Amino acid sequence: MTKSAPDSLTIAVAQLNPIVGDIAGNLALARKARAEAAAQGADLVLFTELFIAGYPPEDLVIKPAFALACERAVEEFAADTADGGPGVIIGTPLRRKSGLHNSVLVLDGGKVVAERYKIDLPNYGEFDEKRVFQAGPDVPGPVNFRGVRIALPICEDIWGDLGVCETLAESGAEILLVPNGSPYYRGKLDVRHQVVLRQVIETGLPMLYANMVGGQDELVFDGASFAINADHSLAFQMDEFETGCELTRWERTGEGWRCVPGRIVRTPETEEADYRACMLGLRDYVNKNRFKDVVLGLSGGLDSSICAALAVDALGADRVRCVMMPYRYTSDASLKDAQDCAKALGVRYDVVPIFEPVDGFMKALAATFEGTEEGITEENLQSRARGTILMAISNKFGSMVVTTGNKSEMSVGYATLYGDMNGGFNPIKDLYKMQVYALSRWRNANVPAGGLGPSGIVIPQNIIDKPPSAELRPDQKDQDSLPPYEVLDEILECLVEGEMAVDDIVARGHDRELVHRVEHLLYVAEYKRRQAAPGVKITKKNFGRDRRYPITNRFRDRT
């Protein structure tokens, strides 16, 4: 007798944090999640894109030994399903005669019962999948899982215009289950909801969207898995930036399958989401690369203060060391502000003056510099002395140096190579200065979920209120060299994120000469950005993965 199709299905969404290249660790993580799901009565566990490999594996996946090890791990996992417990949908790279594929496998009854390949390979922004993967040769039909016809588009398959979901619906699919590796940028969750809703409307089918959590180099994956029913209603919504394995219950109705309404969490607003993305990115970079702790220069300025707060929230105060490195231009106010910030955060605070190393450099260069006027070169010696001290502490104690420059400064080159640009990771690299102000105010009023730092004012108000200054010469202010950050940031957003023409930026009310100057500074600072530490992607176009301009470039928009 043929077993009748079920009227209900319980699917566990495994919103977890795999590590790229840690095949054994990822397999252990998957096994633990499956065991937890089994104990709760799940029929099926949905993991995320390329879970066994970690995402994105970049060129690592080209290595034959890596792809083979991933496949063997999945086969081992498939054998676990002979226990009669829940089946599994899990992502892995697969090498077949048709090429290397970004794949998803269905495991049940002790074996691999189906495999599907990603059709629409993204090749924009942070994605380079056409570089390493071969697209699936066609759109296969749905998989029959215990009497339910399940479609398995993979991430970009639901974003593009290849009609993958429509084809699956026409092939008899009843539910769309989508494993994803969708990285965060500001406002991304709303975009995902709209993408899924469009596919639900076009296919008439419900969709379950599973996304991973965690930091991978510059990228942060924020989870926030969810389901939307065929009636366009949001059925459940998981937490953003938090791991978990959550059950969804599905019922067959006269109109098709429906996800029973479940828990719908509050998702963070802009400042909270950005802060938590920076915090998670820093935490995972430090921990996944096995650094025991971090060190950073605490100048009494806003950027280093918020980086210190992020480090404490990410790692705990006992893993953060702050160093004030005063010189003759360091104000008494900055000395007090740095000390107050360190005290509020509860971190170790050292004072290492740089008078002797800077004066030593000046003495060594005196004959070479004879007859010249003091200027930026001498200012940069201060920054480079500080950078050398931080790197020496890093080398001696194994601490990772946290870099503290914001996107406004990095855009126009207001940073010193081998000085304040030294370091292993920059949590605020993709935040413009005005966004740094907003996040600082938010942190003083809130403790982020999962944060290990204290409540209350952790960035002294004077740091927020005082005019920003590098303090490399007497009475220096950032606005001596740059326009006000409110103006600069808007011009930069137009040039970087918007790729707007100068005429269009001027039409928004900006001075043409100033726009030309900012554009020029942006272009000539490219060589510095190529040597900068990686940092968390927050905007739709970060420096590095998203924006790839040539260093040698004579174009200027002067039409």
Side-chain angles (χ1 to χ4, degrees):
M1 293 179 63
T2 303
K3 188 176 180 180
S4 60
D7 292 324
S8 65
L9 190 67
T10 301
I11 305 173
V13 180
Q15 180 174 292
L16 304 175
N17 188 349
I19 299 176
V20 168
D22 187 7
I23 299 170
N26 295 339
L27 175 58
L29 197 60
R31 281 174 159 159
K32 181 181 178 183
R34 180 176 181 269
E36 291 174 358
Q40 298 178 64
D43 301 305
L44 179 63
V45 186
L46 175 62
F47 290 90
T48 51
E49 184 176 9
L50 291 179
F51 184 88
I52 287 294
Y55 187 82
E58 301 187 71
D59 284 7
L60 176 62
V61 79
I62 298 173
K63 196 175 216 33
F66 179 73
L68 181 60
C70 289
E71 185 171 3
R72 286 174 175 166
V74 174
E75 289 171 349
E76 189 179 330
F77 195 21
D80 294 354
T81 63
D83 62 6
V88 166
I89 295 170
I90 193 162
T92 186
L94 286 179
R95 190 175 295 278
R96 295 293 182 259
K97 289 182 179 179
S98 52
L100 181 64
H101 296 288
N102 181 335
S103 311
V104 64
L105 300 186
V106 183
L107 319 178
D108 198 28
K111 60 184 179 181
V112 176
V113 298
E115 57 185 56
R116 294 291 184 264
Y117 310 139
K118 192 171 185 178
I119 303 296
D120 196 347
L121 300 177
N123 201 51
Y124 57 85
E126 64 268 29
F127 301 110
D128 280 310
E129 289 197 24
K130 288 183 180 178
R131 172 186 172 88
V132 295
F133 289 116
Q134 181 72 32
D138 52 32
V139 180
V143 175
N144 189 323
F145 177 79
R146 302 182 185 180
V148 184
R149 296 189 302 277
I150 292 173
L152 296 170
I154 303 172
C155 201
E156 190 71 15
D157 288 340
I158 73 169
W159 290 71
D161 298 318
L162 298 184
V164 174
C165 292
E166 267 189 293
T167 301
L168 288 164
E170 291 166 359
S171 302
E174 297 178 283
I175 305 174
L176 295 160
L177 302 184
V178 190
N180 295 273
S182 179
Y184 174 84
Y185 61 71
R186 190 177 299 118
K188 184 72 168 288
L189 182 55
D190 289 339
V191 177
R192 294 189 196 119
H193 281 178
Q194 291 305 311
V195 167
V196 170
L197 185 59
R198 175 170 63 89
Q199 296 293 358
V200 168
I201 291 170
E202 290 182 359
T203 63
L205 299 176
M207 181 179 288
L208 177 55
Y209 183 103
N211 192 30
M212 62 181 281
V213 170
Q216 172 58 29
D217 298 342
E218 301 99 324
L219 302 180
V220 169
F221 298 88
D222 56 319
S225 304
F226 63 94
I228 292 182
N229 273 318
D231 64 3
H232 312 162
S233 63
L234 181 66
F236 97 109
Q237 173 72 65
M238 290 181 70
D239 292 290
E240 202 169 9
F241 305 108
E242 296 180 26
T243 58
C245 190
E246 192 154 328
L247 294 188
T248 62
R249 305 189 186 277
W250 296 73
E251 296 177 343
R252 188 190 297 273
T253 71
E255 290 76 37
W257 284 89
R258 173 178 176 270
C259 182
V260 176
R263 189 173 71 102
I264 298 178
V265 304
R266 179 196 73 85
T267 53
E269 298 295 332
T270 302
E271 283 77 20
E272 179 184 357
D274 285 355
Y275 191 95
R276 291 177 66 183
C278 293
M279 182 178 79
L280 177 57
L282 177 60
R283 173 184 291 159
D284 273 5
Y285 190 87
V286 171
N287 290 339
K288 290 181 179 181
N289 288 292
R290 296 173 176 164
F291 289 104
K292 65 175 184 178
D293 53 27
V294 299
V295 61
L296 68 146
L298 189 62
S299 68
L302 186 65
D303 295 338
S304 63
S305 297
I306 195 172
C307 285
L310 281 162
V312 170
D313 284 330
L315 305 170
D318 60 328
R319 297 179 67 190
V320 180
R321 173 189 244 172
C322 292
V323 184
M324 159 56 88
M325 293 166 282
Y327 189 57
R328 65 185 61 164
Y329 306 125
T330 303
S331 67
D332 291 339
S334 291
L335 287 166
K336 182 179 186 304
D337 289 340
Q339 186 174 27
D340 289 348
C341 182
K343 183 177 180 181
L345 290 167
V347 298
R348 173 171 176 171
Y349 178 69
D350 298 329
V351 178
V352 181
I354 63 168
F355 296 92
E356 290 185 8
V358 172
D359 291 348
F361 279 126
M362 295 291 287
K363 184 177 180 180
L365 291 164
T368 304
F369 287 0
E370 187 177 0
T372 66
E373 294 183 6
E374 285 197 15
I376 292 176
T377 299
E378 287 74 15
E379 293 176 18
N380 287 343
L381 281 175
Q382 299 167 51
S383 181
R384 291 188 173 117
R386 292 180 173 116
T388 299
I389 288 169
L390 290 175
M391 291 308 301
I393 293 172
S394 172
N395 291 162
K396 178 63 73 173
F397 300 106
S399 307
M400 188 199 80
V401 176
V402 174
T403 315
T404 62
N406 63 67
K407 190 173 185 177
S408 304
E409 294 174 348
M410 291 306 303
S411 295
V412 296
Y414 196 66
T416 305
L417 274 173
Y418 325 119
D420 58 335
M421 288 178 63
N422 278 4
F425 195 77
N426 183 352
I428 64 168
K429 181 180 180 179
D430 201 29
L431 290 172
Y432 289 110
K433 186 71 171 190
M434 297 310 296
Q435 293 162 354
V436 173
Y437 277 108
L439 264 61
S440 299
R441 294 186 183 99
W442 181 87
R443 179 57 183 89
N444 275 348
N446 303 272
V447 178
L452 303 176
S455 59
I457 304 296
V458 295
I459 301 173
Q461 190 62 40
N462 190 57
I463 292 177
I464 297 173
D465 291 342
K466 68 184 180 183
S469 170
E471 294 192 328
L472 299 176
R473 61 176 181 266
D475 301 318
Q476 182 184 22
K477 301 291 183 292
D478 286 7
Q479 263 57 77
D480 297 342
S481 306
L482 301 173
Y485 281 114
E486 298 93 329
V487 176
L488 177 63
D489 288 359
E490 185 174 335
I491 294 173
L492 287 170
E493 285 191 60
C494 291
L495 289 169
V496 177
E497 281 82 10
E499 295 287 3
M500 290 173 59
V502 167
D503 285 348
D504 294 333
I505 302 172
V506 172
R508 294 168 69 105
H510 293 289
D511 176 74
R512 183 177 296 275
E513 184 177 341
L514 176 60
V515 175
H516 283 161
R517 177 177 169 235
V518 172
E519 180 202 38
H520 175 74
L521 291 172
L522 177 66
Y523 285 156
V524 299
E526 185 62 37
Y527 80 100
K528 288 188 178 182
R529 292 190 290 270
R530 293 285 185 95
Q531 300 179 65
V536 178
K537 172 182 165 69
I538 295 294
T539 66
K540 288 188 71 173
K541 187 171 285 188
N542 74 335
F543 291 125
R545 282 185 176 269
D546 297 335
R547 187 181 186 277
R548 307 178 194 182
Y549 269 61
I551 296 174
T552 305
N553 168 25
R554 290 190 178 181
F555 175 77
R556 300 294 183 269
D557 184 359
R558 298 294 185 267
T559 56

